[in-house]
Amino acid sequence: MALPDSCISGEEVPFPEIIELNVGGQVYITRFSTLTSVPDSLLWEMFSRKSAKGLARDTKGRFFVDRDGFLFRYILDYMRDQQLVLPDHFPERGRLQREAEFFNLPELVKLLAPKMSKQNSLGEEGCQSDPEDSSPGIDMPRNLGSLGAAAAACASLVPSAMDIKRSGFITIGYRGSYTLGRDSQTDAKFRRVARIMVCGKTSLAKEVFGETLNESRDPDRPPERYTSRYYLKFTFLEQAFDKLADAGFHMVACNSTGTCAFAHEQTDDKIWTSYTEYVFYRE
């Protein structure tokens, strides 16, 4: 176990009282005692060693952990007081459980594990054989047929619920650039896209783009609220169009603007920048 602050000396422990972490590109500043508050956890093992040699660091000397930087805030909160507090409509419970397993926090894993409701437990018990039907004179083929019919009836309910797709709009926007030369010839980088932005209802955006949707700029947005802060982890417009088409969306409008951003004095090459939006709709 980690020693209390009063027993930690600079010679015994190579870490300062305040530690900076870079977790997946997100910077966190916390106390040494917080990182070593859960014995046998991964962070406890990292910062209870006698030497910091071997621990990865970024270019600014901060300790680097290659995990989800957004979800680490909940890991750190748990290590402060060993309690789990999540925002309403939290959509990343499964991924947070995976992070808790990586950081070797078994109690947090238990708190995040899905709990079986009483209705589900009764449903499972209903699938077992009835004690009254287990008499020697019962017709086994008839029982199997009844169970099969009940299972088929239950299974038929699942697709009908999943087939329900809500209507709505999703707007795709991007800023691009291209170079226009003296002879009106464009170079190979005609359309250079830095980031594809997504606007619309949170639930629709997550349905269409799933794991390729970067939610770090607006992580706690409820499913029924609208956002304009999401963007995609890839930069191919056609890939975004394919995902929208697979989800049943059709493009209904688009617009674009362009401005000359730079002109080279010797070659007269001009770099043009543009902003374009595509509006998609699903009935």
Side-chain angles (χ1 to χ4, degrees):
M1 295 179 60
L3 297 176
D5 292 348
S6 59
C7 299
I8 296 176
S9 65
E11 296 180 355
E12 295 174 348
V13 179
F15 303 101
E17 181 181 1
I18 305 299
I19 295 179
E20 292 190 32
L21 297 173
N22 179 347
V23 183
Q26 300 291 329
V27 177
Y28 292 89
I29 302 177
T30 186
R31 293 175 60 90
F32 171 83
S33 57
T34 300
L35 297 176
T36 56
S37 61
V38 181
D40 300 323
S41 66
L42 177 63
L43 293 172
W44 179 87
E45 293 178 357
M46 290 175 57
F47 294 97
S48 295
R49 58 178 63 188
K50 295 182 179 180
S51 173
K53 185 178 181 180
L55 294 181
R57 295 175 182 262
D58 64 8
T59 56
K60 294 186 178 180
R62 295 175 294 222
F63 295 101
F64 178 75
V65 182
D66 188 16
R67 298 300 294 183
D68 192 310
F70 158 65
L71 294 177
F72 184 75
R73 70 178 68 179
Y74 303 108
I75 298 293
L76 196 58
D77 283 345
Y78 172 79
M79 298 194 69
R80 291 188 177 106
D81 50 20
Q82 277 72 60
Q83 293 183 0
L84 175 64
V85 180
L86 298 177
D88 295 335
H89 310 289
F90 185 70
E92 307 291 348
R93 197 178 187 94
R95 293 176 59 185
L96 181 57
Q97 182 180 0
R98 185 175 59 187
E99 296 298 304
E101 294 172 351
F102 174 83
F103 286 103
N104 195 21
L105 299 170
E107 295 301 321
L108 180 57
V109 172
K110 292 179 181 179
L111 293 174
L112 291 167
K115 295 179 176 58
M116 181 181 298
S117 64
K118 184 177 181 180
Q119 181 179 0
N120 289 339
S121 62
L122 290 175
E124 291 181 357
E125 293 175 1
C127 294
Q128 300 175 358
S129 59
D130 192 331
E132 296 180 358
D133 293 340
S134 58
S135 58
I138 197 65
D139 187 357
M140 183 61 70
R142 180 176 61 83
N143 278 345
L144 292 178
S146 300
L147 290 175
C154 293
S156 64
L157 298 177
V158 178
S160 61
M162 297 184 63
D163 287 342
I164 300 177
K165 295 183 178 180
R166 289 172 293 180
S167 62
F169 290 88
I170 290 181
T171 300
I172 300 296
Y174 77 94
R175 299 185 184 279
S177 64
Y178 62 92
T179 302
L180 188 63
R182 177 181 302 173
D183 299 326
S184 299
Q185 298 295 325
T186 57
D187 66 359
K189 297 181 179 179
F190 175 78
R191 188 182 65 193
R192 183 172 52 193
V193 179
R195 178 174 292 176
I196 302 176
M197 291 160 286
V198 179
C199 305
K201 185 175 289 187
T202 301
S203 58
L204 289 179
K206 291 181 179 180
E207 175 194 338
V208 175
F209 298 107
E211 295 294 330
T212 62
L213 189 70
N214 193 313
E215 306 173 43
S216 61
R217 298 178 62 197
D218 199 4
D220 301 329
R221 177 71 60 174
E224 298 305 316
R225 297 292 296 275
Y226 292 86
T227 181
S228 60
R229 298 178 60 83
Y230 288 165
Y231 62 90
L232 301 179
K233 297 179 181 179
F234 54 84
T235 57
F236 296 98
L237 285 172
E238 290 76 11
Q239 187 174 353
F241 295 163
D242 286 341
K243 288 182 174 294
L244 286 161
D246 292 341
F249 283 81
H250 301 275
M251 188 174 67
V252 295
C254 67
N255 65 82
S256 180
T257 61
T259 58
C260 180
F262 176 79
H264 199 280
E265 296 180 356
Q266 297 180 355
T267 62
D268 292 334
D269 288 348
K270 296 181 180 180
I271 299 178
W272 289 79
T273 60
S274 64
Y275 177 74
T276 306
E277 284 187 343
Y278 300 92
V279 182
F280 289 82
Y281 178 72
R282 183 175 66 186
E283 296 183 356

